[in-house]
Amino acid sequence: MSASDLPSCNDQPSGTHLPPCNDQPPVSALTVDLRDLAAAAHSPVPQAFAADPDLRQILDGQRTSCWTIGGLGLVGFGRAAHVVVTGEDRFTAARDWWDRLTTQLHITDPLNRSATGPVAFGALTFARASTTSSGLVLPELVVGHDDDGAWVTLVSTQPEVQMQDVMAAWTRLVPQLQPVGSRHPDPATAPVAVADPAADRSWCSAVADGVGLISEGKLEKLVLARAVEVRSDAQPLDVPGALRNLAADYSTCWTYSVSVEDHADPSVNRLFGATPERLVRVLDGKLHARVLAGTLDRASVPPGIDPQRWAQQKLLDDPKQRAEHEFAIDSLLGSVSAYTNQVVSSPDPFVLELPNVWHLASDVTAELTPGPDGTVPSALELVEAIHPTAAVCGTPTHAAAEAITQLEGMDRGLYAGPVGWLDSRHNGDFGIALRGGVQRDAHRAELYAGCGVVEASVPAEELAETRAKLRPVLGALGVTPA
């Protein structure tokens, strides 16, 4: 196999672009057990980390891709290859590129389980008409950790990769280990959220218009989002630090980060956040999803009331919250029906407790039906089938998407789109890019939050809900309100 057999700048799917033609493509990948790597002579991997590999300790790099939850998951460093896609066929173009690239890689993976071997991190836009870039990134080095252990995968332009190559890449790419925990900038130099009362009023008016569409029978549910700008004039925004804060403080959420485009400045258009909502996971022929719809701000608990009982009453017994949740469940089940003959959902929704809010949640699992060739659908194929769900768009989907375009007045870009990873075996794990934002440059970011609008929605209450949803990432950045 030669490097010319791999996807190149002159041989690529429509609507995509690859790295410049003078970039040498990767041809091999080696996965090693983290304990073996740490035990090797002159290894840069600390024995203490190999014994307790909490990935939150290495979330400190500028060119880091990640998908972690409670110290488990994947953290990628560097960039061996990437593809940028746009438009209606963005999912298909990304999937085709990945399948071709992994088919032609020489992969040595003695562990041979989900997420070992080459892994791509991906982020795709919410809307097909978005002008924002979607795509996949294949990191040079990935550190992974699951319930069965930890590993390291190196992707290389060399035809053969040895243990010493993995150690050299670790030394070059992996930052110094940091203790797990929150850190915040000096309040005197902390970034600020730019207040915009006119934008708040405009958004509340859009919510009222959405309620009107629902009252007229044109929609059943609509999800409307808004953006808040964060600026840091005194010093650059510390997004790596924010990721570590989110991973520590929201350990039951999936902390994510990926830069689809390859900019000299890694801060440009970097997507980051910590989502509580898993869109779809494919693991060994099974589908797993977590549906969230229905939100309650923990700061709104009346004095003297038991918080847990109050949350149960306000979420489980509230017709508005239950209706919003049922729309989201029905949306997911309808999307996956063609891929499975058996779906199991939580018999009743449960209350998911996060530090800032409670959510009404349901877990869904399904046995995927193999195709004629005996293989099950890939994670990215299912992502395309499921997205957008009612939880981030509305019901009916097409009418809600049109209303979003008319009422929001912005391109959501990667916000509320799929974000996650996929491997060469069709496994993968994707969430919805919520509770986060996009860093535009070293000193500026846009953060996003939305809420489900139904006929009983009150604009001022929905605005308050978006503020509650913005608190995690604002706090992680150390933002002082303007």
Side-chain angles (χ1 to χ4, degrees):
M1 178 185 64
S2 67
S4 62
D5 294 325
L6 293 170
S8 71
C9 295
N10 297 317
D11 181 18
Q12 54 186 281
S14 175
T16 73
H17 77 70
L18 297 167
C21 287
N22 57 4
D23 281 5
Q24 189 174 356
V27 297
S28 62
L30 172 64
T31 297
V32 297
D33 189 286
L34 181 65
R35 294 168 299 182
D36 295 339
L37 186 65
H42 309 297
S43 174
V45 180
Q47 289 285 351
F49 181 72
D52 183 18
D54 190 323
L55 297 185
R56 292 173 291 187
Q57 295 178 270
I58 56 176
L59 283 179
D60 210 36
Q62 286 292 334
R63 295 187 181 274
T64 301
S65 303
C66 72
W67 178 262
T68 68
I69 181 169
L72 304 175
L74 298 165
V75 180
F77 302 95
R79 184 182 298 255
H82 75 284
V83 65
V84 171
V85 294
T86 57
E88 185 172 353
D89 296 330
R90 63 199 185 285
F91 291 95
T92 301
R95 188 169 67 245
D96 287 349
W97 176 84
W98 179 245
D99 287 345
R100 293 170 61 218
L101 186 142
T102 55
T103 298
Q104 298 174 74
L105 279 176
H106 176 68
I107 301 171
T108 303
D109 178 13
L111 301 183
N112 194 31
R113 65 177 189 264
S114 177
T116 63
V119 169
F121 292 83
L124 297 107
T125 56
F126 169 81
R128 66 184 64 181
S130 174
T131 59
T132 300
S133 296
S134 302
L136 300 175
V137 176
L138 173 64
E140 183 180 352
L141 190 78
V142 171
V143 183
H145 181 203
D146 63 15
D147 292 332
D148 295 318
W151 65 93
V152 181
T153 297
L154 174 65
V155 175
S156 176
T157 58
Q158 303 301 316
E160 294 186 8
V161 186
Q162 306 295 329
M163 182 77 80
Q164 56 265 33
D165 299 315
V166 182
M167 291 192 292
W170 181 289
T171 300
R172 178 167 47 86
L173 295 170
V174 179
Q176 183 178 356
L177 299 185
Q178 299 287 334
V180 176
S182 301
R183 68 181 187 192
H184 297 286
D186 183 341
T189 59
V192 297
V194 179
D196 191 344
D200 291 351
R201 290 191 297 270
S202 177
W203 189 81
C204 286
S205 177
V207 171
D209 290 343
V211 171
L213 292 174
I214 295 168
S215 298
E216 294 168 7
K218 296 178 180 178
L219 297 171
E220 296 176 80
K221 177 191 172 182
L222 176 65
V223 180
L224 291 176
R226 66 188 187 96
V228 172
E229 185 178 8
V230 169
R231 292 178 181 171
S232 178
D233 296 329
Q235 59 188 17
L237 287 169
D238 184 11
V239 171
L243 287 173
R244 294 184 66 250
N245 290 341
L246 289 168
D249 296 340
Y250 293 83
S251 60
T252 58
C253 295
W254 290 271
T255 300
Y256 61 88
S257 176
V258 63
S259 297
V260 170
E261 299 166 316
D262 188 15
H263 294 282
D265 180 354
S267 67
V268 175
N269 293 337
R270 172 166 44 191
L271 177 71
F272 69 100
T275 181
E277 187 155 3
R278 167 181 275 161
L279 182 62
V280 61
R281 181 189 188 191
V282 174
L283 176 62
D284 299 333
K286 291 185 178 181
L287 173 151
H288 306 264
R290 171 165 288 179
V291 177
L292 304 183
T295 303
L296 189 61
D297 187 354
R298 292 176 66 93
S300 62
V301 181
I305 300 296
D306 178 70
Q308 304 302 325
R309 181 175 298 178
W310 190 73
Q312 292 277 338
Q313 292 174 345
K314 287 291 185 179
L315 288 173
L316 290 171
D317 299 336
D318 187 310
K320 171 187 176 293
Q321 303 281 16
R322 291 296 292 261
E324 184 180 340
H325 192 75
E326 288 303 319
F327 285 133
I329 287 288
D330 291 344
S331 171
L332 175 67
L333 297 181
S335 298
V336 303
S337 61
Y339 298 92
T340 178
N341 294 321
Q342 181 182 7
V343 178
V344 178
S345 177
S346 307
D348 288 301
F350 60 91
V351 175
L352 176 67
E353 182 176 347
L354 298 177
N356 62 317
V357 295
W358 289 286
H359 285 297
L360 205 54
S362 292
D363 286 333
V364 176
T365 61
E367 290 279 352
L368 294 171
T369 303
D373 61 355
T375 64
V376 299
S378 71
L380 202 52
E381 182 178 351
L382 286 163
V383 165
E384 181 178 11
I386 295 170
H387 177 77
T389 68
V392 293
C393 183
T395 305
T397 302
H398 181 70
E402 288 189 341
I404 287 169
T405 300
Q406 295 168 3
L407 297 177
E408 278 189 351
M410 68 176 183
D411 181 351
R412 288 187 179 185
L414 297 174
Y415 167 71
V419 59
W421 62 267
L422 67 159
D423 67 14
S424 60
R425 303 178 188 87
H426 289 184
N427 297 309
D429 199 358
F430 280 82
I432 302 175
L434 305 173
R435 308 297 195 275
V438 176
Q439 184 178 11
R440 295 305 181 190
D441 55 43
H443 296 272
R444 188 171 55 93
E446 288 178 351
L447 311 182
Y448 300 87
C451 60
V453 177
V454 293
E455 191 169 8
S457 292
V458 177
E461 293 177 359
E462 304 301 345
L463 181 65
E465 180 177 319
T466 63
R467 288 172 175 156
K469 290 176 175 178
L470 285 165
R471 280 204 303 267
V473 69
L474 286 170
L477 286 166
V479 167
T480 301

